[in-house]
Amino acid sequence: MAAELHVELVAADRSVWSGEATLVVARTTSGDIGVMPGHQPLLGVLESGPVTIRTSEGGTVVAAVHGGFISFADNKLSLLAEIAELADEIDVQRAERALERAKSEADAASERRAEVRLRAVTGH
């Protein structure tokens, strides 16, 4: 069996995903970071961006995360997000409408959130 780490992705209002993984990639204020079993302990600030979790079963879970914290120690990774949505929960048409509305209103924060949601779904 491959080495694993336990992952908890939690939003302010709910537990989003929990399970075993072999790799997690997230965007922090210091840049993108990949965490694998045995990684050095870390504490960081999450930026808005997709989080990719490679599960122990070989699947991939992608979530749109908007701010929060990342913590890793003793092969336990916690992602504590202000807002987090799994890619399969995102309504693409709604996110596209939100992006267009944010662009027309010159609302940079809303535009960024909509772009992150779309990237989580499309992988772009």
Side-chain angles (χ1 to χ4, degrees):
M1 179 164 77
E4 302 177 331
L5 58 108
H6 183 74
V7 179
E8 294 282 338
L9 172 56
V10 179
D13 61 343
R14 67 187 177 117
S15 176
V16 178
W17 190 86
S18 177
E20 305 306 311
T22 58
L23 171 69
V24 177
V25 178
R27 176 156 296 159
T28 70
T29 54
S30 300
D32 289 353
I33 186 168
V35 178
M36 297 175 69
H39 195 282
Q40 291 291 324
L42 96 98
L43 179 61
V45 177
L46 290 170
E47 291 272 320
S48 289
V51 168
T52 303
I53 302 167
R54 178 109 8 99
T55 68
S56 296
E57 294 83 31
T60 302
V61 174
V62 179
V65 172
H66 307 282
F69 298 94
I70 183 171
S71 171
F72 182 76
D74 300 322
N75 275 338
K76 293 180 184 148
L77 180 71
S78 298
L79 299 147
L80 309 171
E82 294 172 25
I83 301 169
E85 300 171 273
L86 294 174
D88 61 5
E89 298 173 337
I90 296 171
D91 180 332
V92 175
Q93 292 177 341
R94 183 174 172 213
E96 288 171 343
R97 287 191 305 270
L99 178 60
E100 291 306 314
R101 186 172 47 254
K103 285 181 178 179
S104 69
E105 296 172 0
D107 182 346
S110 294
E111 186 175 340
R112 175 77 179 141
R113 281 192 302 274
E115 287 173 343
V116 167
R117 294 176 78 219
L118 288 170
R119 280 202 349 246
V121 174
T122 63
H124 296 90

